Amino acid sequence: MTTTTPRTHRRRTAVLAAVLLPVLAGCGGGSGESLKLSAPLPDTVPSGTQIRIGDPSVQAILDASGLGKQLTDAGVDVQWANITGGPQSIQAFRGDQLDCSSVADIPSLFAAWTGTSTRIVFQSVTVDPLRHPTYELGTAPGTTVRSLADLRGKRIAYSAGQAQGALVLRVLQKAGLSRKDVTLVDLTSTGDSYVTALGSGAVDVAPLGASNVRIYRAKYPRGGAVPTGIRDDAATLYCLTSAVRDAGKAAALKVYVAVRARALLWKNTHPDQYAKAYLEGTQGLSAADARAVIADDGTTGIPANWDNAVTRLQRTADLLAREQHHPKLDVSTLVDRRYEKVEAAAAGSRAVTGDAS
């Protein structure tokens, strides 16, 4: 159940591997004091509190910007994990080896449907998301797909537990098609698996991230890509419910959420430093490719409130419940809106409203 990574880095890979879970095991020290989910967030981080977070791109931003000092000054001890996305984070959650991870919106739904209790504590968006989509529909060489209406009868790569799978269902819905009008080919999106499937003709259509669209077109000049016209910019930080119920960890997260908001805004105004620190330094991209990723990503926005994001998440949950036969889910039980005001306050006048949120 993978999802692509949040906007700051999810275009690069569907999943970051090399998860050092044994190192994290037993490193989740909190205060031990229980906190009701309706209680105000504590302001003081108890000594010895550790929070285990998989948020690699923000980790790089904090190092490059110097904002990481705000965490240490507040007494927040972050144990970083090189992990992001649904399957790894949910696996780590189940083993109590991780507290929080950066993901899109789908993992919170599948965590609930598979018995792992989590809460979203951070939401970010893309300003002008339709001009900066996360995905396009890659089309196989020789396949005549010029618009969504041409999807009828086509073989489409599909992974039920990934953001790509939800996108496929939303695309079919927009096109007025059902699953019976196409052939959904079960295929998990990892690395360039969808690029290979398209190039080999195993599928006619597959949702590709922007970086994979470039790779695909370079490798298969006769291949193509068409826009979905669907907003796909959901980006969150979600945490074990047990973490936000721990008073010490909840206090540490309050600090982290504020610093994370400032970090993403720093990225907007320091694209070259971000490219060097993360895209080139950590992801190994060339300078030219890093610049292309920055252009693809657009501007990250911190929403003034989560109303629109929660509405979109509920629509997605309803669609997946209907199409994948999951129980109905009230997504308000998956968001911890105490942190909504924390990130908005950190963004201040730079928080976005209206269609961007």
Side-chain angles (χ1 to χ4, degrees):
M1 294 183 305
T2 311
T3 5
T4 51
T5 63
R7 295 286 302 190
T8 52
H9 56 95
R10 61 185 171 140
R11 293 183 180 280
R12 300 309 310 149
T13 54
V15 175
L16 288 174
V19 183
L20 304 179
L21 293 181
V23 176
L24 293 174
C27 295
S31 69
E33 182 182 345
S34 180
L35 182 73
K36 291 183 179 180
L37 295 176
S38 58
L41 295 170
D43 292 320
T44 303
V45 180
S47 176
T49 300
Q50 294 178 332
I51 191 81
R52 303 162 297 175
I53 299 177
D55 202 2
S57 71
V58 169
Q59 179 185 359
I61 294 171
L62 295 179
D63 289 342
S65 66
L67 288 168
K69 186 174 184 298
Q70 296 182 10
L71 296 176
T72 55
D73 287 349
V76 177
D77 179 7
V78 178
Q79 301 295 302
W80 296 105
N82 188 21
I83 179 174
T84 187
Q88 286 90 346
S89 61
I90 291 175
Q91 179 185 9
F93 286 159
R94 288 172 179 165
D96 192 24
Q97 296 170 321
L98 191 71
D99 293 311
C100 305
S101 182
S102 55
V103 290
D105 54 353
I106 304 304
S108 63
L109 303 178
F110 277 88
W113 281 323
T114 55
T116 300
S117 181
T118 65
R119 293 293 187 276
I120 290 171
V121 302
F122 193 100
Q123 305 264 7
S124 61
V125 297
T126 298
V127 177
D128 204 351
L130 295 185
R131 287 189 60 191
H132 298 279
T134 302
Y135 298 105
E136 293 183 64
L137 295 180
T139 60
T143 300
T144 55
V145 175
R146 301 290 180 266
S147 70
L148 301 190
D150 298 325
L151 294 176
R152 185 183 297 275
K154 300 299 187 292
R155 297 166 300 161
I156 304 175
Y158 177 73
S159 181
Q162 293 187 281
Q164 293 94 323
L167 179 69
V168 167
L169 295 179
R170 294 173 66 201
V171 164
L172 293 178
Q173 184 181 53
K174 181 175 181 179
L177 302 173
S178 73
R179 297 168 65 124
K180 296 179 181 179
D181 297 314
V182 300
T183 299
L184 297 181
V185 179
D186 288 331
L187 180 64
T188 300
S189 176
T190 55
D192 64 353
S193 60
Y194 278 12
V195 168
T196 300
L198 285 168
S200 67
V203 296
D204 302 310
V205 177
L208 298 179
S211 59
N212 274 336
V213 169
R214 285 191 300 276
I215 293 170
Y216 177 57
R217 282 177 159 159
K219 193 172 183 179
Y220 302 98
R222 293 180 58 240
V226 297
T228 67
I230 290 176
R231 183 169 189 166
D232 60 3
D233 62 319
T236 78
L237 187 77
Y238 78 148
C239 305
L240 277 173
T241 302
S242 60
V244 297
R245 285 185 183 275
D246 182 291
K249 291 188 179 185
L253 278 170
K254 182 178 181 180
V255 177
Y256 186 76
V257 163
V259 175
R260 191 177 198 266
R262 298 181 193 115
L264 294 181
L265 294 174
W266 180 93
K267 168 182 171 281
N268 289 340
T269 56
H270 298 79
D272 293 340
Q273 291 96 316
Y274 169 72
K276 288 185 180 297
Y278 182 69
L279 298 175
E280 297 176 45
T282 300
Q283 295 293 288
L285 284 115
S286 68
D289 284 344
R291 285 194 298 270
V293 170
I294 294 292
D296 288 338
D297 278 352
T299 301
T300 299
I302 304 301
N305 66 69
W306 294 359
D307 290 349
N308 292 343
V310 172
T311 296
R312 288 192 294 271
L313 182 60
Q314 186 66 64
R315 289 172 181 164
T316 300
D318 292 345
L319 175 64
L320 294 180
R322 182 173 66 252
E323 294 294 328
Q324 297 179 352
H325 309 294
H326 297 295
K328 287 278 289 182
L329 187 61
D330 178 1
V331 303
S332 68
T333 64
L334 306 182
V335 293
D336 190 332
R337 298 192 72 158
R338 293 175 298 178
Y339 293 94
E340 175 181 26
K341 294 181 176 62
V342 175
E343 67 169 297
S349 62
R350 293 181 289 177
V352 296
T353 58
D355 289 340
S357 62

